[in-house]
Structures are given as structure tokens and as C-alpha cells.
Amino acid sequence: MSLPFETVTYRQVELAGLEGLICRHYGLEYSVIRALSVSNGSYRRVEAGAAVEEGVALDRLEAEEIAAWRAGGPEPHLASVMNDLACSGVIDSGEYLVHVWW
């Protein structure tokens, strides 16, 4: 018996490094744990800028979500943040695997 599978490549990032980058870029604290409701030892796949290229404007709804957060609103979903970072040229577009641990 064989199991069908697909080989994929992700950019694996650690929780602390990602939160640090987000904090430095936006000047705001951001919790991946709160944003994704994840537990210790988990992994979460997030696409960054898959449908856009560097320098291309962020989707309107995601841009509004980021703007609301910067104005004191709730934290946006991590996918919105990652897309904004990719559109801004801060990170490469692609699939990221976030390793959550504390």
C-alpha cells in the first residue's frame, strides 16, 4: 500500500523571530499565539503575498485590517500581516511554516 504525497518547500520561522520582525517593522507588539489561537509545539502554514508581487498594493480588506490595528484596533490575522510584509518588500513572497513554542 502506498500513500500519495507531494513534496513542498516552506520557509520555516520561529515564533520569537517573527514577532520581533513584526514589532520592529510596525512599532507595535503582535502575538502570533493570540492571532492564530495556537498551542505550544504547533506549526502553522501561512502564505505571504502568493497572489501579489513586491511593490504591488495590498488587498483592500487586508490594508484596512492593518490600518485599524495601527490605529489601536485588534490584531489582524497573521496572513494579512505576512501579505503586508511581502508587499512592502520586508519578506519574500512564499509559504512560511511558523513554529510556535514557548
Short mmCIF file of all heavy atoms in Angstrom, two decimals, residues 51-102:
data_model
loop_
_atom_site.label_atom_id
_atom_site.label_comp_id
_atom_site.label_asym_id
_atom_site.label_seq_id
_atom_site.Cartn_x
_atom_site.Cartn_y
_atom_site.Cartn_z
N ALA A 51 -0.42 35.96 -4.19
CA ALA A 51 -1.12 36.49 -5.36
C ALA A 51 -0.59 37.85 -5.79
O ALA A 51 -1.11 38.45 -6.72
CB ALA A 51 -2.61 36.60 -5.06
N VAL A 52 0.41 38.35 -5.10
CA VAL A 52 0.94 39.68 -5.42
C VAL A 52 2.45 39.63 -5.56
O VAL A 52 3.09 38.69 -5.13
CB VAL A 52 0.56 40.71 -4.33
CG1 VAL A 52 -0.93 40.88 -4.25
CG2 VAL A 52 1.14 40.33 -3.00
N GLU A 53 3.01 40.64 -6.12
CA GLU A 53 4.45 40.77 -6.25
C GLU A 53 4.91 41.93 -5.39
O GLU A 53 4.14 42.82 -5.06
CB GLU A 53 4.84 41.02 -7.69
CG GLU A 53 4.47 39.87 -8.62
CD GLU A 53 4.82 40.19 -10.07
OE1 GLU A 53 5.60 41.15 -10.31
OE2 GLU A 53 4.32 39.49 -10.94
N GLU A 54 6.19 41.92 -5.07
CA GLU A 54 6.75 43.01 -4.27
C GLU A 54 6.43 44.35 -4.92
O GLU A 54 6.53 44.51 -6.13
CB GLU A 54 8.27 42.83 -4.16
CG GLU A 54 8.94 43.86 -3.32
CD GLU A 54 10.43 43.62 -3.23
OE1 GLU A 54 10.84 42.46 -3.10
OE2 GLU A 54 11.16 44.61 -3.31
N GLY A 55 6.02 45.31 -4.12
CA GLY A 55 5.69 46.63 -4.63
C GLY A 55 4.26 46.78 -5.09
O GLY A 55 3.84 47.88 -5.41
N VAL A 56 3.50 45.70 -5.14
CA VAL A 56 2.10 45.76 -5.54
C VAL A 56 1.26 46.01 -4.30
O VAL A 56 1.53 45.49 -3.22
CB VAL A 56 1.67 44.43 -6.21
CG1 VAL A 56 0.19 44.45 -6.54
CG2 VAL A 56 2.50 44.20 -7.46
N ALA A 57 0.23 46.82 -4.44
CA ALA A 57 -0.60 47.20 -3.29
C ALA A 57 -1.27 45.99 -2.65
O ALA A 57 -1.65 45.03 -3.32
CB ALA A 57 -1.66 48.20 -3.74
N LEU A 58 -1.41 46.06 -1.35
CA LEU A 58 -2.07 45.03 -0.57
C LEU A 58 -3.57 45.04 -0.84
O LEU A 58 -4.15 46.07 -1.15
CB LEU A 58 -1.82 45.33 0.93
CG LEU A 58 -2.28 44.32 1.96
CD1 LEU A 58 -1.53 43.01 1.80
CD2 LEU A 58 -2.02 44.88 3.36
N ASP A 59 -4.20 43.88 -0.74
CA ASP A 59 -5.65 43.76 -0.88
C ASP A 59 -6.33 44.80 0.02
O ASP A 59 -5.90 45.04 1.14
CB ASP A 59 -6.05 42.33 -0.47
CG ASP A 59 -7.55 42.14 -0.40
OD1 ASP A 59 -8.16 41.89 -1.45
OD2 ASP A 59 -8.09 42.26 0.72
N ARG A 60 -7.41 45.39 -0.45
CA ARG A 60 -8.09 46.48 0.28
C ARG A 60 -8.52 46.07 1.67
O ARG A 60 -8.31 46.80 2.63
CB ARG A 60 -9.29 46.97 -0.53
CG ARG A 60 -10.03 48.13 0.14
CD ARG A 60 -11.27 48.54 -0.64
NE ARG A 60 -12.25 47.48 -0.80
CZ ARG A 60 -13.13 47.14 0.15
NH1 ARG A 60 -13.15 47.76 1.30
NH2 ARG A 60 -14.01 46.17 -0.07
N LEU A 61 -9.13 44.90 1.82
CA LEU A 61 -9.61 44.47 3.14
C LEU A 61 -8.45 44.22 4.10
O LEU A 61 -8.53 44.55 5.28
CB LEU A 61 -10.49 43.22 3.02
CG LEU A 61 -11.79 43.44 2.26
CD1 LEU A 61 -12.55 42.12 2.11
CD2 LEU A 61 -12.66 44.46 2.97
N GLU A 62 -7.38 43.64 3.59
CA GLU A 62 -6.20 43.44 4.44
C GLU A 62 -5.57 44.76 4.82
O GLU A 62 -5.14 44.96 5.96
CB GLU A 62 -5.18 42.54 3.74
CG GLU A 62 -5.63 41.10 3.66
CD GLU A 62 -4.63 40.21 2.98
OE1 GLU A 62 -3.97 40.64 2.01
OE2 GLU A 62 -4.51 39.05 3.42
N ALA A 63 -5.53 45.69 3.88
CA ALA A 63 -4.97 47.01 4.18
C ALA A 63 -5.79 47.71 5.26
O ALA A 63 -5.24 48.35 6.16
CB ALA A 63 -4.93 47.87 2.91
N GLU A 64 -7.12 47.58 5.19
CA GLU A 64 -7.98 48.17 6.22
C GLU A 64 -7.75 47.51 7.58
O GLU A 64 -7.75 48.18 8.61
CB GLU A 64 -9.45 48.03 5.82
CG GLU A 64 -9.84 48.93 4.66
CD GLU A 64 -11.25 48.66 4.13
OE1 GLU A 64 -11.96 47.78 4.69
OE2 GLU A 64 -11.64 49.33 3.16
N GLU A 65 -7.55 46.19 7.58
CA GLU A 65 -7.29 45.46 8.81
C GLU A 65 -5.98 45.92 9.45
O GLU A 65 -5.91 46.16 10.66
CB GLU A 65 -7.23 43.96 8.49
CG GLU A 65 -7.19 43.06 9.69
CD GLU A 65 -7.16 41.59 9.31
OE1 GLU A 65 -7.03 41.23 8.12
OE2 GLU A 65 -7.27 40.78 10.24
N ILE A 66 -4.95 46.11 8.65
CA ILE A 66 -3.65 46.60 9.14
C ILE A 66 -3.79 48.03 9.66
O ILE A 66 -3.29 48.37 10.73
CB ILE A 66 -2.57 46.53 8.03
CG1 ILE A 66 -2.32 45.09 7.59
CG2 ILE A 66 -1.28 47.21 8.48
CD1 ILE A 66 -1.65 44.19 8.59
N ALA A 67 -4.47 48.89 8.90
CA ALA A 67 -4.66 50.28 9.31
C ALA A 67 -5.42 50.38 10.63
O ALA A 67 -5.07 51.18 11.50
CB ALA A 67 -5.38 51.06 8.22
N ALA A 68 -6.45 49.57 10.78
CA ALA A 68 -7.23 49.57 12.04
C ALA A 68 -6.36 49.16 13.21
O ALA A 68 -6.43 49.74 14.30
CB ALA A 68 -8.44 48.65 11.91
N TRP A 69 -5.51 48.16 13.02
CA TRP A 69 -4.60 47.71 14.07
C TRP A 69 -3.61 48.81 14.44
O TRP A 69 -3.39 49.09 15.62
CB TRP A 69 -3.87 46.46 13.60
CG TRP A 69 -2.78 45.96 14.49
CD1 TRP A 69 -2.87 45.71 15.83
CD2 TRP A 69 -1.46 45.64 14.11
NE1 TRP A 69 -1.67 45.25 16.30
CE2 TRP A 69 -0.78 45.19 15.26
CE3 TRP A 69 -0.77 45.68 12.90
CZ2 TRP A 69 0.56 44.78 15.24
CZ3 TRP A 69 0.55 45.26 12.88
CH2 TRP A 69 1.20 44.82 14.04
N ARG A 70 -3.07 49.47 13.44
CA ARG A 70 -2.09 50.55 13.69
C ARG A 70 -2.75 51.73 14.40
O ARG A 70 -2.07 52.50 15.07
CB ARG A 70 -1.45 50.99 12.39
CG ARG A 70 -0.61 49.85 11.78
CD ARG A 70 0.08 50.29 10.55
NE ARG A 70 1.43 50.71 10.95
CZ ARG A 70 2.39 50.99 10.10
NH1 ARG A 70 2.17 50.95 8.82
NH2 ARG A 70 3.57 51.35 10.55
N ALA A 71 -4.08 51.85 14.27
CA ALA A 71 -4.82 52.93 14.94
C ALA A 71 -5.33 52.50 16.32
O ALA A 71 -6.11 53.23 16.93
CB ALA A 71 -5.98 53.37 14.06
N GLY A 72 -4.90 51.34 16.79
CA GLY A 72 -5.29 50.91 18.13
C GLY A 72 -6.32 49.80 18.17
O GLY A 72 -6.78 49.41 19.23
N GLY A 73 -6.70 49.28 17.02
CA GLY A 73 -7.70 48.21 16.94
C GLY A 73 -7.10 46.85 17.23
O GLY A 73 -5.94 46.72 17.63
N PRO A 74 -7.89 45.81 17.00
CA PRO A 74 -7.44 44.44 17.28
C PRO A 74 -6.33 43.98 16.32
O PRO A 74 -6.19 44.51 15.21
CB PRO A 74 -8.70 43.60 17.08
CG PRO A 74 -9.53 44.40 16.14
CD PRO A 74 -9.24 45.84 16.45
N GLU A 75 -5.58 43.01 16.77
CA GLU A 75 -4.52 42.45 15.94
C GLU A 75 -5.13 41.80 14.69
O GLU A 75 -6.11 41.08 14.78
CB GLU A 75 -3.73 41.39 16.71
CG GLU A 75 -2.89 41.95 17.82
CD GLU A 75 -2.20 40.88 18.63
OE1 GLU A 75 -2.72 39.76 18.74
OE2 GLU A 75 -1.13 41.17 19.16
N PRO A 76 -4.52 42.03 13.55
CA PRO A 76 -5.00 41.40 12.31
C PRO A 76 -4.58 39.94 12.26
O PRO A 76 -3.69 39.50 12.99
CB PRO A 76 -4.32 42.22 11.22
CG PRO A 76 -3.08 42.74 11.86
CD PRO A 76 -3.41 42.95 13.31
N HIS A 77 -5.19 39.20 11.36
CA HIS A 77 -4.79 37.81 11.15
C HIS A 77 -3.35 37.80 10.64
O HIS A 77 -2.91 38.71 9.94
CB HIS A 77 -5.72 37.15 10.13
CG HIS A 77 -5.53 35.67 10.07
ND1 HIS A 77 -4.57 35.10 9.27
CD2 HIS A 77 -6.16 34.67 10.72
CE1 HIS A 77 -4.62 33.78 9.43
NE2 HIS A 77 -5.58 33.50 10.30
N LEU A 78 -2.62 36.77 10.99
CA LEU A 78 -1.22 36.69 10.59
C LEU A 78 -1.06 36.71 9.07
O LEU A 78 -0.10 37.30 8.56
CB LEU A 78 -0.56 35.44 11.18
CG LEU A 78 0.92 35.28 10.88
CD1 LEU A 78 1.73 36.48 11.39
CD2 LEU A 78 1.45 33.99 11.47
N ALA A 79 -1.98 36.12 8.33
CA ALA A 79 -1.88 36.14 6.87
C ALA A 79 -1.90 37.57 6.33
O ALA A 79 -1.16 37.90 5.40
CB ALA A 79 -3.01 35.32 6.25
N SER A 80 -2.70 38.43 6.92
CA SER A 80 -2.75 39.83 6.49
C SER A 80 -1.42 40.52 6.76
O SER A 80 -0.91 41.28 5.93
CB SER A 80 -3.87 40.58 7.22
OG SER A 80 -5.11 40.04 6.89
N VAL A 81 -0.84 40.26 7.93
CA VAL A 81 0.45 40.85 8.28
C VAL A 81 1.54 40.35 7.33
O VAL A 81 2.34 41.13 6.81
CB VAL A 81 0.82 40.54 9.75
CG1 VAL A 81 2.22 41.03 10.07
CG2 VAL A 81 -0.20 41.17 10.70
N MET A 82 1.56 39.05 7.09
CA MET A 82 2.58 38.47 6.21
C MET A 82 2.43 39.00 4.78
O MET A 82 3.42 39.30 4.12
CB MET A 82 2.49 36.94 6.23
CG MET A 82 2.76 36.32 7.58
SD MET A 82 4.45 36.43 8.14
CE MET A 82 5.19 35.11 7.19
N ASN A 83 1.20 39.15 4.31
CA ASN A 83 0.98 39.72 2.97
C ASN A 83 1.47 41.15 2.91
O ASN A 83 2.08 41.58 1.93
CB ASN A 83 -0.49 39.64 2.57
CG ASN A 83 -0.89 38.25 2.13
OD1 ASN A 83 -0.06 37.48 1.67
ND2 ASN A 83 -2.15 37.93 2.28
N ASP A 84 1.19 41.93 3.97
CA ASP A 84 1.65 43.32 4.00
C ASP A 84 3.17 43.38 4.00
O ASP A 84 3.76 44.20 3.29
CB ASP A 84 1.07 44.02 5.23
CG ASP A 84 1.39 45.51 5.24
OD1 ASP A 84 1.17 46.18 4.21
OD2 ASP A 84 1.87 46.00 6.28
N LEU A 85 3.81 42.51 4.77
CA LEU A 85 5.27 42.49 4.81
C LEU A 85 5.85 42.11 3.44
O LEU A 85 6.84 42.69 3.00
CB LEU A 85 5.76 41.50 5.88
CG LEU A 85 5.50 41.90 7.34
CD1 LEU A 85 5.84 40.75 8.28
CD2 LEU A 85 6.26 43.16 7.72
N ALA A 86 5.20 41.16 2.76
CA ALA A 86 5.67 40.76 1.43
C ALA A 86 5.46 41.89 0.41
O ALA A 86 6.35 42.18 -0.39
CB ALA A 86 4.95 39.49 0.98
N CYS A 87 4.30 42.53 0.46
CA CYS A 87 4.02 43.64 -0.46
C CYS A 87 4.97 44.81 -0.24
O CYS A 87 5.29 45.55 -1.16
CB CYS A 87 2.58 44.11 -0.31
SG CYS A 87 1.37 42.97 -1.00
N SER A 88 5.42 44.97 1.01
CA SER A 88 6.35 46.05 1.35
C SER A 88 7.80 45.70 1.06
O SER A 88 8.69 46.53 1.24
CB SER A 88 6.22 46.39 2.84
OG SER A 88 4.90 46.78 3.14
N GLY A 89 8.05 44.45 0.66
CA GLY A 89 9.42 44.02 0.37
C GLY A 89 10.23 43.67 1.60
O GLY A 89 11.44 43.49 1.51
N VAL A 90 9.58 43.54 2.76
CA VAL A 90 10.28 43.22 4.00
C VAL A 90 10.64 41.73 4.05
O VAL A 90 11.70 41.36 4.53
CB VAL A 90 9.42 43.61 5.23
CG1 VAL A 90 10.07 43.18 6.53
CG2 VAL A 90 9.15 45.11 5.22
N ILE A 91 9.75 40.88 3.53
CA ILE A 91 10.00 39.44 3.45
C ILE A 91 9.71 38.99 2.02
O ILE A 91 9.03 39.69 1.26
CB ILE A 91 9.14 38.62 4.44
CG1 ILE A 91 7.64 38.77 4.14
CG2 ILE A 91 9.46 38.99 5.88
CD1 ILE A 91 6.74 37.84 4.93
N ASP A 92 10.24 37.84 1.66
CA ASP A 92 9.97 37.27 0.34
C ASP A 92 8.57 36.68 0.31
O ASP A 92 8.08 36.17 1.32
CB ASP A 92 10.97 36.16 0.03
CG ASP A 92 12.38 36.67 -0.17
OD1 ASP A 92 12.53 37.83 -0.62
OD2 ASP A 92 13.33 35.92 0.14
N SER A 93 7.94 36.72 -0.84
CA SER A 93 6.67 36.04 -1.03
C SER A 93 6.92 34.54 -0.97
O SER A 93 7.99 34.07 -1.31
CB SER A 93 6.06 36.38 -2.39
OG SER A 93 5.70 37.74 -2.43
N GLY A 94 5.91 33.81 -0.53
CA GLY A 94 6.04 32.36 -0.49
C GLY A 94 5.29 31.78 0.68
O GLY A 94 4.53 32.46 1.37
N GLU A 95 5.51 30.49 0.91
CA GLU A 95 4.85 29.80 2.00
C GLU A 95 5.79 29.70 3.19
O GLU A 95 6.94 29.31 3.05
CB GLU A 95 4.40 28.41 1.55
CG GLU A 95 3.34 28.49 0.48
CD GLU A 95 2.73 27.15 0.18
OE1 GLU A 95 2.34 26.44 1.13
OE2 GLU A 95 2.63 26.82 -1.00
N TYR A 96 5.26 30.06 4.34
CA TYR A 96 6.03 30.04 5.59
C TYR A 96 5.41 29.04 6.54
O TYR A 96 4.19 28.90 6.61
CB TYR A 96 6.03 31.43 6.23
CG TYR A 96 6.91 32.42 5.51
CD1 TYR A 96 6.46 33.05 4.35
CD2 TYR A 96 8.18 32.72 5.97
CE1 TYR A 96 7.26 33.95 3.66
CE2 TYR A 96 8.99 33.62 5.30
CZ TYR A 96 8.53 34.23 4.15
OH TYR A 96 9.33 35.11 3.48
N LEU A 97 6.26 28.36 7.29
CA LEU A 97 5.82 27.45 8.33
C LEU A 97 6.27 28.07 9.64
O LEU A 97 7.47 28.19 9.91
CB LEU A 97 6.45 26.07 8.13
CG LEU A 97 5.91 24.96 9.00
CD1 LEU A 97 4.44 24.72 8.72
CD2 LEU A 97 6.70 23.68 8.78
N VAL A 98 5.32 28.51 10.44
CA VAL A 98 5.62 29.18 11.70
C VAL A 98 5.65 28.14 12.81
O VAL A 98 4.67 27.44 13.04
CB VAL A 98 4.56 30.27 12.03
CG1 VAL A 98 4.92 30.98 13.33
CG2 VAL A 98 4.45 31.26 10.88
N HIS A 99 6.81 28.03 13.47
CA HIS A 99 6.97 27.10 14.59
C HIS A 99 6.65 27.85 15.87
O HIS A 99 7.34 28.80 16.25
CB HIS A 99 8.40 26.58 14.63
CG HIS A 99 8.64 25.59 15.71
ND1 HIS A 99 9.88 25.38 16.25
CD2 HIS A 99 7.80 24.75 16.38
CE1 HIS A 99 9.81 24.47 17.19
NE2 HIS A 99 8.55 24.07 17.29
N VAL A 100 5.57 27.43 16.52
CA VAL A 100 5.10 28.10 17.74
C VAL A 100 5.56 27.30 18.95
O VAL A 100 5.19 26.13 19.09
CB VAL A 100 3.55 28.22 17.74
CG1 VAL A 100 3.08 28.89 19.01
CG2 VAL A 100 3.08 28.99 16.51
N TRP A 101 6.35 27.90 19.78
CA TRP A 101 6.77 27.26 21.03
C TRP A 101 7.17 28.33 22.03
O TRP A 101 7.55 29.42 21.67
CB TRP A 101 7.93 26.30 20.79
CG TRP A 101 9.16 26.96 20.27
CD1 TRP A 101 9.46 27.22 18.96
CD2 TRP A 101 10.24 27.50 21.04
NE1 TRP A 101 10.65 27.89 18.87
CE2 TRP A 101 11.16 28.06 20.13
CE3 TRP A 101 10.53 27.56 22.40
CZ2 TRP A 101 12.33 28.66 20.55
CZ3 TRP A 101 11.69 28.18 22.81
CH2 TRP A 101 12.58 28.71 21.88
N TRP A 102 7.03 27.99 23.28
CA TRP A 102 7.46 28.89 24.36
C TRP A 102 7.92 28.11 25.55
O TRP A 102 7.78 26.93 25.65
CB TRP A 102 6.35 29.88 24.75
CG TRP A 102 5.08 29.27 25.25
CD1 TRP A 102 4.79 28.89 26.53
CD2 TRP A 102 3.93 28.96 24.46
NE1 TRP A 102 3.53 28.36 26.59
CE2 TRP A 102 2.97 28.40 25.34
CE3 TRP A 102 3.58 29.10 23.14
CZ2 TRP A 102 1.72 27.97 24.91
CZ3 TRP A 102 2.34 28.68 22.73
CH2 TRP A 102 1.43 28.12 23.61
#
